[in-house]
Amino acid sequence: MAWKDSRRSRSKLLLFTLSITIGIAALVAINSFKENLNYEINNQSKSLLGADLEVYSQQPFTEEQMSFIDSLGSTRSLQSRFSSMIYFPQTGGTRLIQVRTLEGDYPYYGEIETLPLSAATDFKTGAFALVDETLMMQYNANIGDPVKIGQLEFQIIGKLQSIPGQNSINTAVAPVVYIPHQYLVQTGLVERGSRVYYSYFFKTDQEIIEEEFDETYETRFEELALRYETVDKRKKNTSIAFNNTTVFLNMSAFIALLLGSIGVAGAVYSYLGEKRRSVAILRCLGLSGRQAFYIYFYQVLTMGLLGSLIGTTIGTGLQLFLPRLVEGLIPFSIQTRFYALVALEGVAIGMIVTVLFSLLPLLSILKISPLNSIRAEFESGGDDQKNLILKSSLFGVITLFLFSFSYLQIQELDQAAIFIGGLFVTFLILWLFSKGLIYLAKTMVSPKWSFLLRHGIANLHRPKNQTGLLIITVGMCTMLISIMYFSHHVLLDQITMAGSEERPNMVLFDIQSHQKPALETLVTDFDLPIVQDVPVVTMRLLEYNGITKKQASQDSTLEIPDWLYNREYRVTFRDSLISSETLTEGALHPYQANDSIFISIAEGFAERQEWELGDEIIFNVQGALMKTYIGSFRKIDWRRIQTNFLVLFPSGLLEEAPQFHVLVTKVKDNQQSATFQQAIVRQFPNISIIDLELVLKTIEEVLVKISFVIRFMALISVMTGLLVLINSIMLSKSQRVKDSVLLRTLGAKAKHIIAIITIEYLALGSIASLTGLITAHLLTWVLSVTLFDATYSIDYMSTVYIFIAVIIATLVMGLLNMRPVLREMPLTILRREN
Amino acid sequence: MSQILEVHKLSKTYQSGEKNLTVLDQISFSLEAGKSLAIVGPSGSGKTTLLGLCAGLDRIDTGSVSIAGHALDQLSEDQKAQVRNENVGFVFQNFQLIPTLTALENVMIPLELLGDKNALQEATALLDQVGLADRKNHYPSQLSGGEQQRVALARAFSNRPKILFADEPTGNLDEETGAKIEKLLFDLNRDKGTALVLVTHDIELAHKTDHLIRLKGGKVFESDLLSQTHAQS
């Protein structure tokens, strides 16, 4: 019976199947991709580090450190890395690079890929350099050409194609150049205060078990001020690095499925709307309400299974292309695999969604009276108690499912709660808006208005109106799609640097104090402004409120992370704020001789550490201990191109400490930039230059790549959303077609019908779109603060585009529904409708 | 007197599977203004199709129909709609009221489409005439069958049509209500001088009209409109 009954309305069932298919396809594709990513991180974890263990320091290793390093193993390689400038004598080009010097057989896992292959080892045999392939292309350099790094000239022996654990984005910002370690000193680039990382990479005979290793060596590493990274640690760090991306992907999958669910409910509702009379007739013939329910339940179940299976198949196919979207964003290649569990999960979730979201409309079948066969308008009384309990329980189960699913996808309890809470608030807001619109339509219509306007507006409140349903579904759909776009905007805005044409575009750093006067003269000779000239002193945090690193790591209740003590703090000193800073609490206290030292901390950083005014911090300033107190918090606009600091000291204390300087200037054009950089590299080979125009260009290229990934996911949501929209409007089709054909019979022209439908759907579209957008902005704001940890900013362009697009889409769908009225003869439709 | 409806060699064929089904075959007749005509015949004889074609609700295959001098086969759909609005009234067996509009709004529609500024007053007066002044703000689903058909009658006469097409106007009503509707229909026809084309199974009702056409198998089986009809035996 179920099969026979479905024969004439399979197009409606197809819409329902499509909703499930797209939602599940997105879910399976994203979850498979996540599995692939995790698999590769696990599988390639050793080649991410290139060794079993890395021990590193920002100072040259002392004798004591060396004897400890000797005890860790003899199969090891030495690497140093630092930023410097490269000079291409043949073309005169200069560029900031990351210099890496190597001694030994590193990498032990994975490989340094070069062209020719032999160059990866041959470069260590003389004054040779391996130069990043893209950098060589940019500067028209060829193998055999000379390059100058510091005071030494090297010959390019090979093109560097990939390095273990490094993605192409990192190398795009600061391309890597390898040189043999024995030439490090001769380059003249390593001076006191230079920021060089020295690493020993070990290959051990036995696998390092992180916990055991930590237990045995952690204290010793601390005592010797050495830091280390094991394969497991690198694995964890890599996973964390992808957190934001996966959160976004998870959210996309969730939204796609949610839209699919709305589509399911809408399609079943619309399908059953056509079946009321058939059910009533069957009921007259002796069919029980329960039997009628099962007829349609089996139909829906079959189509749901079909949709889930197709969706899973498409999703599995789609995941083959996802790695291509993130090429260059991750430091390894991804081989795609089929995950039976993910596929099974896809089918299962598809079926759960089918059952849960179709049950709501399906329950109405139980209420269809046999009397409907005689009088279609007959409405049985309200829900009886049993039905009410059933409906309420169903809402409860749906909420629980949505919450569990969002938790499984996002993996954060509070964030999942916020998301689900947001959805319900949106639902409530949309419902209230629809009620408001109905009330407004009822009260505002004036007899003085034109017939068409009155008729169009009155359609919003008349019996069997679709105002509530359309505003909720279209509004919800708009909200979900908008969240995708707005989140995208917030994420991108976070990395896009603010500022105008007047912003400085060149930063010179690693300037030694004795080089300052000569450098300033050079800057003046080039007629360039000194926008900022900042001294920088490096230090480490020794104690926070009397708690040392050892105490913090032993007492987990303190929740003070290790990195707080491990990191190097680059600090400056002054008694005033700069334009990117605002004081939010406390005051800047200039230093008075023999008085306490009050420092200022960046607000966001202090908030995360739960630091408060008056907290005591002891810094180790290159051997000298300095007790300080937090005197103020500063809000910093990190996006401004200025030198910003987490910690600000007052003047009068650090002036004599070993320091380097940073100078910010603005060059007029590429030509001036090139000649100025050449002069600097010739005269001050140790000074590094960041050409911000180049960095911005690189970031822009990366953003294009990231935004492509995001847009791809958003596209899936848009497709599902569009389907929901078609669905929702189809729901109202039957009623509007009947009304319109009668109007046509009574003498209404096509333009009258079009005008009435246009007015009705314009009102519906704009209210639904507006409500969806308002709630989307609210939810994106919440997501920005809680999930992305980013500053919320309004995406005006997308807001306008989405507003217009949703109205147009609603209107077009509404008008397309009216095609039969305008195309077919009134008698044909009247006969069919009867 | 002038002819309000002229039908000449009208044929209509529908596609049924792979076969062509001729529903109407070479029908011709004409009706004078203010006169009434009943079309009778067994189910499937083409009565409703003929009515639909006469009213411009369906496309003519061959032949011609003209209402008040307007040749429908030469008009666009919008032009036909305008002819209906200005000249035609309808009454259907199942009333065909717009369910989302109140009784008053239903009656107002033809007047509003004509751009009549007094639509509200005129529609109220018409509803009063059919005895439904106190039910004007009710929706069709809140009215009985007889009441719905009275609203439909008020609507049919609201634009002061030159011709009224009625498809089984009493088919869905009990005898008493049916009689009332019949009376209303003929009273309005007489008072307002509107020609009446009536499709019915009710021979008694058919005999109350000025003329009669009997259809069988899509052809005119019997007619008293001899001058224009190819009577078939």
Side-chain angles (χ1 to χ4, degrees):
Chain A
M1 183 66 201
W3 175 245
K4 276 189 271 179
D5 182 87
S6 70
R7 273 188 303 228
R8 285 202 63 188
S9 316
R10 289 195 188 134
S11 64
K12 285 261 163 66
L13 282 175
L14 191 72
L15 263 182
F16 156 79
T17 311
L18 268 177
S19 306
I20 279 283
T21 303
I22 297 183
I24 294 298
L27 184 76
V28 171
I30 288 167
N31 283 353
S32 300
F33 176 69
K34 270 163 52 190
E35 289 295 325
N36 282 322
L37 202 65
N38 287 335
Y39 178 86
E40 295 298 348
I41 290 175
N42 282 321
N43 197 37
Q44 300 186 32
S45 53
K46 283 194 173 180
S47 54
L48 284 174
L49 189 63
D52 290 304
L53 173 72
E54 180 189 1
V55 176
Y56 59 99
S57 167
Q58 276 175 273
Q59 307 294 330
F61 296 111
T62 61
E63 269 183 37
E64 196 185 1
Q65 285 171 332
M66 278 312 296
S67 60
F68 173 64
I69 286 168
D70 287 342
S71 72
L72 291 172
S74 57
T75 314
R76 63 178 192 236
S77 302
L78 176 63
Q79 180 190 272
S80 66
R81 65 186 162 92
F82 54 93
S83 297
S84 182
M85 301 301 288
I86 192 168
Y87 177 59
F88 294 90
Q90 287 186 328
T91 53
T94 55
R95 170 83 148 88
L96 179 73
I97 55 159
Q98 190 187 81
V99 181
R100 291 189 182 193
T101 70
L102 194 60
E103 179 185 276
D105 297 329
Y106 177 83
Y108 300 107
Y109 306 102
E111 54 187 331
I112 296 174
E113 285 176 28
T114 57
L115 202 74
L117 279 174
S118 57
T121 47
D122 291 351
F123 83 96
K124 284 176 262 182
T125 56
F128 298 119
L130 294 175
V131 180
D132 179 270
E133 192 177 25
T134 321
L135 181 70
M136 283 179 68
M137 264 164 57
Q138 283 168 350
Y139 288 86
N140 278 328
N142 295 306
I143 293 173
D145 286 357
V147 284
K148 198 173 173 196
I149 296 168
Q151 290 163 355
L152 267 192
E153 201 167 271
F154 295 85
Q155 189 190 3
I156 302 175
I157 193 172
K159 292 176 181 175
L160 193 56
Q161 292 180 310
S162 83
I163 309 164
Q166 190 94 23
N167 64 20
S168 61
I169 288 173
N170 286 344
T171 52
V173 175
V176 174
V177 173
Y178 270 105
I179 55 168
H181 185 70
Q182 66 263 32
Y183 294 102
L184 174 64
V185 179
Q186 291 176 51
T187 58
L189 293 172
V190 181
E191 294 185 26
R192 190 173 161 79
S194 297
R195 290 167 311 129
V196 183
Y197 282 85
Y198 298 91
S199 299
Y200 267 111
F201 290 98
F202 291 84
K203 183 180 188 313
T204 56
D205 298 332
Q206 283 175 339
E207 191 101 340
I208 291 179
I209 297 162
E210 198 191 359
E211 279 180 18
E212 284 176 17
F213 189 83
D214 285 353
E215 210 170 295
T216 320
Y217 293 108
E218 199 171 18
T219 322
R220 189 68 188 131
F221 272 108
E222 263 170 43
E223 286 167 359
L224 292 169
L226 287 174
R227 292 162 75 182
Y228 66 95
E229 191 163 19
T230 59
V231 170
D232 281 346
K233 275 209 175 86
R234 172 62 68 98
K235 206 161 78 182
K236 273 182 211 156
N237 291 339
T238 310
S239 299
I240 291 168
F242 290 113
N243 198 29
N244 246 8
T245 317
T246 48
V247 161
F248 190 82
L249 289 177
N250 285 333
M251 216 173 77
S252 319
F254 181 72
I255 287 176
L257 191 78
L258 204 66
L259 285 169
S261 307
I262 298 172
V264 166
V268 175
Y269 189 88
S270 153
Y271 177 64
L272 294 180
E274 284 185 358
K275 295 289 178 184
R276 283 182 75 84
R277 211 170 164 80
S278 307
V279 174
I281 294 168
L282 287 169
R283 300 266 344 242
C284 283
L285 298 175
L287 195 79
S288 72
R290 190 180 286 260
Q291 284 170 318
F293 170 85
Y294 279 119
I295 288 177
Y296 297 101
F297 185 61
Y298 291 144
Q299 285 179 10
V300 164
L301 222 55
T302 311
M303 298 308 275
L305 181 67
L306 193 70
S308 306
L309 286 173
I310 299 173
T312 304
T313 313
I314 294 175
T316 308
L318 208 61
Q319 63 128 341
L320 300 175
F321 300 98
L322 284 182
R324 284 190 204 170
L325 297 182
V326 292
E327 245 170 36
L329 298 176
I330 47 176
F332 46 79
S333 61
I334 293 183
Q335 294 288 319
T336 49
R337 285 166 197 83
F338 172 70
Y339 291 95
L341 202 67
V342 174
L344 223 70
E345 183 190 67
V347 176
I349 290 179
M351 291 311 287
I352 295 174
V353 165
T354 301
V355 172
L356 287 181
F357 285 85
S358 62
L359 270 180
L360 269 180
L362 273 171
L363 282 179
S364 65
I365 285 189
L366 293 169
K367 276 180 58 196
I368 296 178
S369 160
L371 205 56
N372 284 108
S373 58
I374 307 165
R375 208 171 212 196
E377 291 85 5
F378 174 79
E379 295 283 350
S380 56
D383 288 327
D384 57 24
Q385 206 182 0
K386 195 177 151 196
N387 223 329
L388 267 178
I389 295 171
L390 215 62
K391 269 191 181 168
S392 313
S393 319
L394 193 59
F395 272 116
V397 176
I398 288 176
T399 312
L400 196 70
F401 164 74
L402 288 178
F403 179 74
S404 317
F405 182 72
S406 70
Y407 172 66
L408 282 175
Q409 290 293 118
I410 302 174
Q411 297 283 331
E412 293 279 345
L413 206 63
D414 51 344
Q415 285 161 5
I418 288 171
F419 206 71
I420 293 299
L423 281 179
F424 277 93
V425 170
T426 310
F427 187 86
L428 195 72
I429 294 175
L430 287 166
W431 182 78
L432 286 173
F433 261 78
S434 68
K435 288 286 164 201
L437 184 63
I438 289 171
Y439 177 77
L440 211 65
K442 227 178 227 175
T443 49
M444 71 189 284
V445 176
S446 156
K448 287 177 189 159
W449 291 5
S450 78
F451 163 66
L452 299 176
L453 186 61
R454 251 185 309 125
H455 204 75
I457 295 291
N459 272 349
L460 297 170
H461 72 77
R462 281 171 178 157
K464 296 189 178 178
N465 68 70
Q466 303 293 333
T467 307
L469 189 78
L470 278 181
I471 286 194
I472 289 173
T473 48
V474 177
M476 199 65 118
C477 186
T478 309
M479 182 206 73
L480 292 173
I481 291 169
S482 306
I483 286 182
M484 297 287 299
Y485 275 95
F486 298 164
S487 306
H488 173 208
H489 173 80
V490 168
L491 286 174
L492 292 195
D493 195 55
Q494 199 182 353
I495 18 185
T496 309
M497 299 193 188
S500 63
E501 290 294 306
E502 294 307 310
R503 69 188 172 202
N505 54 12
M506 191 166 281
V507 179
L508 284 68
F509 59 95
D510 280 347
I511 306 163
Q512 303 298 309
S513 296
H514 69 268
Q515 294 175 319
K516 249 185 75 179
L519 178 70
E520 279 172 8
T521 312
L522 184 69
V523 172
T524 321
D525 287 349
F526 269 85
D527 199 21
L528 298 176
I530 296 176
V531 181
Q532 263 191 313
D533 176 7
V534 188
V536 180
V537 178
T538 58
M539 56 184 74
R540 286 185 189 281
L541 193 153
L542 203 66
E543 279 181 30
Y544 165 71
N545 276 346
I547 305 161
T548 60
K549 182 187 173 190
K550 197 171 178 180
Q551 288 165 323
S553 59
Q554 281 168 355
D555 185 352
S556 60
T557 59
L558 290 170
E559 290 185 357
I560 302 177
D562 272 4
W563 60 260
L564 206 65
Y565 296 95
N566 289 339
R567 68 166 291 162
E568 186 184 68
Y569 292 82
R570 285 172 202 140
V571 170
T572 192
F573 49 89
R574 53 183 146 83
D575 293 326
S576 58
L577 297 174
I578 57 171
S579 60
S580 58
E581 299 173 323
T582 340
L583 213 55
T584 54
E585 227 181 318
L588 293 181
H589 298 272
Y591 176 68
Q592 310 286 332
N594 301 323
D595 196 1
S596 299
I597 304 165
F598 289 97
I599 56 170
S600 181
I601 308 286
E603 184 194 50
F605 180 75
E607 260 173 23
R608 284 191 289 275
Q609 312 315 321
E610 296 181 359
W611 287 0
E612 286 175 8
L613 287 183
D615 283 356
E616 180 193 287
I617 300 173
I618 299 177
F619 284 103
N620 178 349
V621 187
Q622 297 167 49
L625 301 191
M626 219 169 245
K627 188 192 274 188
T628 64
Y629 298 93
I630 300 178
S632 64
F633 294 126
R634 288 162 302 132
K635 187 176 181 177
I636 298 171
D637 183 357
W638 293 99
R639 298 175 303 172
R640 298 278 281 273
I641 299 175
Q642 283 183 343
T643 48
N644 291 308
F645 296 88
L646 288 180
V647 181
L648 173 66
F649 266 64
S651 309
L653 281 158
L654 300 174
E655 278 77 354
E656 300 308 317
Q659 58 190 264
F660 65 91
H661 295 259
V662 176
L663 192 141
V664 182
T665 184
K666 176 171 171 52
V667 290
K668 289 184 192 78
D669 49 39
N670 287 343
Q671 181 61 39
Q672 192 183 33
S673 169
T675 49
F676 180 60
Q677 286 191 50
Q678 283 165 18
I680 297 275
V681 173
R682 269 198 301 272
Q683 211 173 322
F684 311 101
N686 67 301
I687 293 178
S688 298
I689 307 161
I690 299 179
D691 181 349
L692 289 168
E693 294 298 331
L694 193 66
V695 174
L696 281 177
K697 211 176 133 200
T698 313
I699 290 178
E700 256 172 45
E701 282 167 12
V702 174
L703 290 187
V704 166
K705 190 134 207 165
I706 295 175
S707 66
F708 183 59
V709 180
I710 296 176
R711 272 179 219 285
F712 179 78
M713 296 321 300
L715 184 74
I716 291 182
S717 299
V718 170
M719 272 169 63
T720 330
L722 208 62
L723 210 65
V724 175
L725 190 65
I726 296 172
N727 238 325
S728 315
I729 293 170
M730 288 273 280
L731 291 179
S732 57
K733 177 181 176 176
S734 161
Q735 192 58 53
R736 291 292 166 259
V737 166
K738 187 162 186 177
D739 289 1
S740 303
V741 82
L742 282 172
L743 281 174
R744 198 117 171 86
T745 306
L746 297 174
K749 292 178 183 170
K751 66 177 183 190
H752 295 138
I753 308 284
I754 291 172
I756 289 168
I757 296 296
T758 303
I759 290 165
E760 180 184 1
Y761 283 87
L762 266 183
L764 279 173
S766 31
I767 295 288
S769 177
L770 193 69
T771 323
L773 282 166
I774 292 171
T775 43
H777 275 298
L778 279 172
L779 269 175
T780 315
W781 172 70
V782 174
L783 285 174
S784 307
V785 176
T786 59
L787 196 65
F788 305 133
D789 201 14
T791 314
Y792 171 72
S793 62
I794 292 184
D795 183 357
Y796 291 102
M797 287 305 275
S798 297
T799 306
V800 173
Y801 286 149
I802 293 174
F803 180 67
I804 295 169
V806 171
I807 295 175
I808 292 175
T810 314
L811 184 62
V812 168
M813 296 295 166
L815 288 173
L816 282 180
N817 267 339
M818 288 302 116
R819 266 184 321 164
V821 178
L822 306 176
R823 216 176 41 186
E824 290 185 53
M825 300 308 295
L827 194 66
T828 318
I829 299 174
L830 280 176
R831 277 185 162 155
R832 194 190 307 149
E833 293 292 322
N834 291 333
Chain B
M1 283 184 87
S2 65
Q3 306 296 320
I4 182 70
L5 174 67
E6 287 176 279
V7 177
H8 183 63
K9 292 188 174 178
L10 181 67
S11 294
K12 181 74 188 172
T13 306
Y14 288 113
Q15 191 87 26
S16 172
E18 288 184 358
K19 286 181 183 171
N20 283 333
L21 190 69
T22 303
V23 183
L24 291 176
D25 188 11
Q26 299 277 315
I27 309 287
S28 298
F29 67 88
S30 59
L31 183 69
E32 282 176 12
K35 294 287 182 187
S36 58
L37 161 71
I39 303 172
V40 295
S43 297
S45 57
K47 305 185 293 292
T48 304
T49 306
L50 177 59
L51 186 93
L53 287 170
C54 291
L57 296 179
D58 206 349
R59 202 166 286 124
I60 294 163
D61 286 347
T62 56
S64 65
V65 173
S66 77
I67 292 179
H70 303 281
L72 295 185
D73 54 308
Q74 284 162 31
L75 302 180
S76 69
E77 287 310 313
D78 273 355
Q79 286 168 326
K80 279 193 251 182
Q82 192 168 349
V83 170
R84 283 198 295 273
N85 186 221
E86 288 167 359
N87 301 287
V88 179
F90 286 100
V91 179
F92 298 96
Q93 180 178 2
N94 45 7
F95 327 130
Q96 297 290 17
L97 296 177
I98 297 178
T100 55
L101 303 187
T102 62
L104 182 66
E105 287 168 334
N106 263 289
V107 181
M108 280 168 72
I109 283 178
L111 295 166
E112 296 200 281
L113 286 170
L114 279 172
D116 191 329
K117 296 263 187 288
N118 296 317
L120 181 69
Q121 291 76 6
E122 288 177 36
T124 310
L126 273 164
L127 277 176
D128 190 28
Q129 227 177 319
V130 296
L132 287 173
D134 55 337
R135 311 277 281 168
K136 64 178 182 185
N137 291 324
H138 286 65
Y139 286 100
S141 60
Q142 297 167 315
L143 300 172
S144 70
E147 287 171 329
Q148 286 188 55
Q149 196 61 302
R150 274 145 71 194
V151 176
L153 268 178
R155 185 180 70 184
F157 283 98
S158 64
N159 55 339
R160 283 169 234 100
K162 294 189 177 77
I163 184 164
L164 184 120
F165 292 99
D167 186 10
E168 301 273 11
T170 57
N172 271 351
L173 305 172
D174 63 71
E175 204 174 323
E176 194 185 351
T177 318
K180 279 183 191 166
I181 293 295
E182 256 177 57
K183 186 173 180 313
L184 261 173
L185 202 57
F186 284 106
D187 284 352
L188 287 167
N189 161 240
R190 190 180 54 247
D191 296 348
K192 298 191 185 284
T194 308
L196 179 65
V197 179
L198 201 68
V199 163
T200 182
H201 277 114
D202 185 347
I203 297 298
E204 205 177 314
L205 172 65
H207 283 303
K208 291 179 185 168
T209 58
D210 300 322
H211 304 285
L212 186 137
I213 291 178
R214 194 184 295 272
L215 288 181
K216 197 174 179 185
K219 294 177 177 174
V220 175
F221 179 71
E222 180 191 335
S223 172
D224 60 357
L225 292 171
L226 287 174
S227 58
Q228 286 82 23
T229 309
H230 299 280
Q232 317 255 331
S233 58

